[in-house]
């Protein structure tokens, strides 16, 4: 219950008119009518002795949902699920709370408290990202937060740590000194002990301890709502293959936590990554299917006389990184020298430069046979210069491209991935959402898998939607997605779990003639054959780029049905934009 006196002060501050109580009743009446106009019950606002009450739940008030998600995060079984819930909670915030409310009392008392709730969650998210080794990805959040809240030292501490761990020592020191000078000038105080220790570690080129676990680590506020367990959730991850451990521009080593390179005289120390997940030795959550590929890759990678190089290629979102990482996990015991994972993409999907990537390659330590996974390679031009730096290690590469030039010059085996089979898609959904919930709607599960084109990326996105909406049936989810799958298969809080973003990056990377041919494929009848879309040279280049597949006899090319749906959607979207532009001229 909100008292009448509190509402009077909220509306008129300390100077209510003589008719304030009657005017307040009029305001409530107008609100009830407004709610009724938009389909909300007219009795939502209840008059009770001493004031008013308005019942809200997760469907009607974002703040209730935010607090529920943070409570679920506190009860999460692991950091992947905790991070997923907190990102979902933060996605509910859009700008300053109550920005269009003129009440001085609410701006003074309520807004700062709400802002503190959000900032505590944001600090915790940044701690978790740092602990996961995702230093490149979290820099965007940290730059904005450190600039907007300059006296909130934890954001600056996290920013300095992330910069140092990504090899940007000079920038890290510059950030420290900027905040130090501001604190001295404006408040007459020095930075706290956490920032001072971090500065000293940078000056000494020391390796840091476990990331995101410093003195200033944030704990979420006490649970305000009972937690509702909804089972495992798809973890976040890097680059063009979302949902798996690791981060853009990071390297993880199996066996023990990778602590970076030791500093040598005359050489800049590579900041440590202690505490990062052991990406190559950790199984992929919810992984399902691909048994034949796993067996074949295991035989090739562990055979002493087998190929030293194995390439996993295929369309965007088809599960290349998941297969490679799961395979690396399953064969880790055959590599006593360790399993290392190097992501070759920036968070925006662009490829690392060769020099950047070389800095991330693990150095031989004489510990025995090693396996290096080069994940999300942009092309042969990026991979070829790196192979000489891997020494005698076995190398596993994932890329949308077939990397024919790499295999032609270095030998090896290529695994070209197709979509999952219906049974594999069902097992993936069951592993993420829960066998009981999936088993209760078998027909709807088959429909959902078909809507997702049996693409692992799309299936994980659908699973995320089901997990965050425990009351949503699989049938309703499938029906809603089917209305516009290319646009709706996206999780708002993470562009790496978004079909428009991931597929869009792949299309944007194509040269204009290839891009135009790909868009034309959206309107082709499968019976026509794809040869009508463009020349053989262009189609071959699209096969190499992972956007087309080799076809059956008589039809040399084929396109995944889901990619064709996306091409049709993208072409229609472009036409709508062009029409809108012409109307506004």
């Amino acid at each position: 219950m909100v008292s009448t006196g509190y509402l009077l002060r909220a509306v008129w501050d300390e100077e209510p008119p003589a008719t304030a109580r009657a005017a307040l009743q009029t305001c409530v009446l107008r609100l009830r009518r407004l709610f009724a106009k938009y389909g909300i019950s007219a009795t939502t606002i209840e008059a009770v002795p001493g004031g008013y009450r308005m019942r809200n739940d997760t469907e009607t008030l974002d703040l209730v949902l935010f607090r529920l998600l943070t409570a679920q995060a506190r009860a999460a079984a692991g950091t992947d699920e905790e991070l997923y819930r907190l990102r979902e909670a933060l996605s509910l915030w859009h700008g300053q709370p109550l920005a269009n409310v003129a009440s001085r009392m609410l701006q003074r008392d309520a807004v700062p408290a709400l802002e503190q709730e959000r900032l505590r969650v944001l600090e915790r998210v940044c701690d978790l990202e740092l602990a996961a080794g995702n230093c490149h990805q979290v820099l965007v959040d940290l730059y904005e937060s450190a600039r907007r809240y300059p006296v909130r030292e934890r954001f600056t501490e996290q920013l300095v740590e992330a910069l140092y761990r990504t090899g940007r020592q000079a920038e890290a020191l510059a950030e420290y000194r900027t905040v130090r000078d501001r604190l001295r000038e404006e408040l007459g105080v020095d930075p706290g002990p956490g920032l001072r220790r971090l500065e000293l570690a940078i000056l000494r080129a020391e390796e840091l301890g476990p990331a995101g676990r410093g003195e200033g680590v944030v704990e979420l506020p006490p649970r305000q709502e009972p937690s509702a367990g909804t089972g495992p959730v798809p973890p976040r991850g890097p680059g063009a293959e979302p949902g798996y451990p690791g981060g853009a521009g990071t390297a993880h080593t199996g066996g023990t936590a990778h602590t970076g390179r030791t500093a040598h005289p005359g050489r800049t120390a590579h900041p440590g990554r202690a505490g990062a997940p052991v990406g190559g030795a950790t199984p992929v959550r919810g992984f399902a299917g691909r048994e034949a590929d796993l067996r074949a890759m295991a035989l090739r990678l562990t055979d002493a006389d087998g190929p030293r190089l194995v390439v996993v290629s295929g369309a965007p979102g088809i599960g290349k990184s998941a297969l490679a990482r799961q395979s690396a996990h399953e064969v880790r015991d055959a590599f006593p020298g360790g399993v290392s994972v190097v992501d070759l993409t920036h968070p925006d999907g662009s490829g690392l430069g060769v020099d950047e990537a070389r800095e991330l390659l693990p150095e031989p330590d004489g510990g025995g046979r090693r396996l290096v996974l080069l994940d999300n390679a942009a092309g042969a031009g990026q991979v070829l210069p790196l192979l000489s730096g891997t020494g005698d290690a076995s190398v596993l590469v994932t890329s949308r491209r077939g990397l024919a030039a790499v295999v032609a010059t270095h030998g090896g085996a290529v695994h070209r991935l197709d979509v999952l089979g219906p049974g594999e898609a069902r097992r993936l959904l069951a592993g993420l959402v829960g066998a009981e919930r999936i088993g209760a709607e078998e027909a709807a599960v088959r429909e959902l898998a078909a809507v997702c084109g049996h693409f692992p990326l799309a299936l994980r996105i659908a699973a995320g939607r089901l997990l965050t909406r425990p009351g949503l049936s699989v049938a309703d989810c499938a029906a809603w997605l089917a209305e516009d799958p290319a646009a709706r298969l996206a999780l708002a809080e993470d562009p790496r779990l978004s079909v428009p973003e991931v597929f869009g990056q792949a299309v944007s990377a194509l040269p204009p003639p290839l891009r135009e041919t790909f868009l034309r494929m959206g309107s082709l009848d499968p019976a026509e054959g794809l040869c009508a879309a463009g020349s053989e040279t262009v189609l071959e280049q699209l096969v190499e780029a992972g956007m087309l597949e080799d076809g059956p006899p008589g039809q040399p090319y084929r396109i995944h049905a889901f990619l064709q749906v996306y091409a049709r959607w993208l072409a229609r979207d472009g036409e709508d934009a062009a029409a809108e532009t012409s109307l506004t001229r």
Side-chain angles (χ1 to χ4, degrees), residues 324-537:
R325 291 169 184 263
Q326 183 69 19
S327 178
H329 162 71
E330 294 188 4
V331 301
R332 66 194 184 283
D333 292 340
F335 296 92
V339 177
S340 303
V341 181
V342 179
D343 195 318
L344 298 179
T345 59
H346 290 293
D348 63 0
S350 62
L352 295 182
V354 172
D355 290 338
E356 286 181 280
R358 277 203 185 104
E359 281 298 309
L360 297 170
L361 290 176
E363 293 183 342
D365 56 7
R369 191 179 182 194
R370 300 176 301 129
L371 174 63
V372 177
L373 167 55
L374 302 177
D375 203 11
N376 296 319
Q382 187 186 40
V383 174
L384 285 170
L386 300 178
L387 291 180
S388 60
T390 58
D392 59 354
S394 295
V395 181
L396 182 56
V397 185
T398 72
S399 177
R400 289 195 298 269
R401 297 188 169 274
L403 302 184
V406 176
V407 178
T409 55
H410 287 75
V414 178
H415 287 259
R416 182 80 175 189
L417 298 191
D418 207 333
V419 297
L420 296 176
E424 294 174 323
R426 184 201 178 283
R427 293 203 302 277
L428 176 61
L429 288 170
L432 295 171
V433 181
E436 183 177 350
R437 188 172 175 189
I438 293 301
E441 298 184 74
E442 292 289 354
V445 169
R446 290 192 293 272
E447 177 61 26
L448 178 60
V451 168
C452 294
H454 298 91
F455 268 64
L457 168 64
L459 291 165
R460 285 182 179 272
I461 294 169
R465 186 167 188 82
L466 288 169
L467 284 166
T468 54
R469 295 163 176 79
L472 180 67
S473 70
V474 178
D476 286 343
C477 180
W480 183 78
L481 290 174
E483 292 176 6
D484 196 0
R488 292 182 174 178
L489 276 164
L491 300 182
E493 72 279 10
D494 189 349
R496 292 163 297 182
L497 285 169
S498 163
V499 164
E501 288 287 339
V502 173
F503 283 16
Q505 285 180 2
V507 173
S508 297
L510 297 174
L514 272 65
R515 195 180 310 140
E516 293 166 8
T517 301
F518 176 76
L519 293 178
R520 280 199 294 273
M521 291 177 184
S523 60
L524 288 180
D525 187 323
E528 296 180 59
L530 297 179
C531 291
S535 68
E536 181 177 346
T537 300

Side-chain angles (χ1 to χ4, degrees), residues 115-116 118-119 122-123 141-160 174-192 195:
E115 189 71 358
Q116 287 301 312
R118 184 184 73 87
L119 292 178
L122 180 56
E123 286 182 355
D141 288 333
L142 289 175
Y143 271 122
E144 180 183 356
S145 301
R147 300 291 186 270
R148 188 171 180 182
Y149 308 100
V151 296
R152 198 176 181 99
E153 287 188 38
R154 183 57 188 152
F155 284 135
T156 300
E157 187 177 341
Q158 291 169 326
L159 175 59
V160 171
E175 290 292 337
Y176 169 81
R177 287 163 184 166
T178 298
V179 76
R180 179 198 61 191
D181 295 345
R182 182 182 292 113
L183 290 171
R184 286 177 176 175
E185 292 172 6
E186 297 180 5
L187 303 175
V189 299
D190 283 324
L195 265 173

Side-chain angles (χ1 to χ4, degrees), residues 212-256:
R213 289 290 182 267
E215 188 176 272
V217 66
V218 171
E219 294 296 335
L220 291 178
R223 289 168 59 182
Q224 303 183 47
E225 305 256 353
S227 116
T230 56
V233 300
R236 289 163 41 82
E241 296 292 336
Y244 313 111
T250 60
H252 307 303
T253 304
T256 57

Side-chain angles (χ1 to χ4, degrees), residues 11-163:
V11 176
W12 287 284
D13 292 299
E14 302 301 325
E15 300 177 0
T19 57
R21 289 183 179 271
L24 182 64
Q25 292 175 351
T26 301
C27 287
V28 171
L29 179 61
R30 289 169 61 192
L31 280 175
R32 285 173 174 162
R33 289 174 177 169
L34 189 64
F35 290 166
K37 177 181 177 181
Y38 289 97
I40 303 173
S41 171
T43 59
T44 299
I45 304 177
E46 303 173 359
V48 295
Y52 295 90
R53 176 173 60 199
M54 185 166 68
R55 298 185 182 276
N56 284 286
D57 55 25
T58 57
E59 295 297 320
T60 58
L61 187 62
D62 282 345
L63 188 60
V64 175
L65 179 56
F66 172 80
R67 288 171 174 166
L68 173 64
L69 289 168
T70 56
Q72 291 175 342
R74 291 181 59 84
T79 56
D80 282 341
E81 183 179 353
E82 181 184 3
L83 183 57
Y84 188 89
R85 300 285 184 203
L86 295 180
R87 283 286 188 189
E88 178 81 3
L90 286 176
S91 72
L92 299 171
W93 292 78
H94 302 283
Q96 184 76 8
L98 306 183
N100 59 341
V101 176
S103 169
R104 290 198 299 270
M105 187 191 81
L106 291 178
Q107 293 296 334
R108 182 187 67 241
D109 299 338
V111 170
L114 292 170
E115 189 71 358
Q116 287 301 312
E117 280 193 68
R118 184 184 73 87
L119 292 178
R120 280 196 296 268
V121 171
L122 180 56
E123 286 182 355
R124 178 62 177 162
V125 163
C126 293
D127 277 330
L128 292 171
E129 293 279 26
L130 286 172
N134 298 335
C135 300
H136 281 281
Q137 291 95 317
V138 80
L139 278 173
V140 175
D141 288 333
L142 289 175
Y143 271 122
E144 180 183 356
S145 301
R147 300 291 186 270
R148 188 171 180 182
Y149 308 100
V151 296
R152 198 176 181 99
E153 287 188 38
R154 183 57 188 152
F155 284 135
T156 300
E157 187 177 341
Q158 291 169 326
L159 175 59
V160 171
E161 179 180 346
L163 287 169

Side-chain angles (χ1 to χ4, degrees), residues 257-282:
H258 180 47
T259 57
R261 297 175 180 176
T262 305
H264 297 284
R267 179 179 179 180
T268 302
H270 201 72
R273 294 182 178 89
V278 185
T282 304

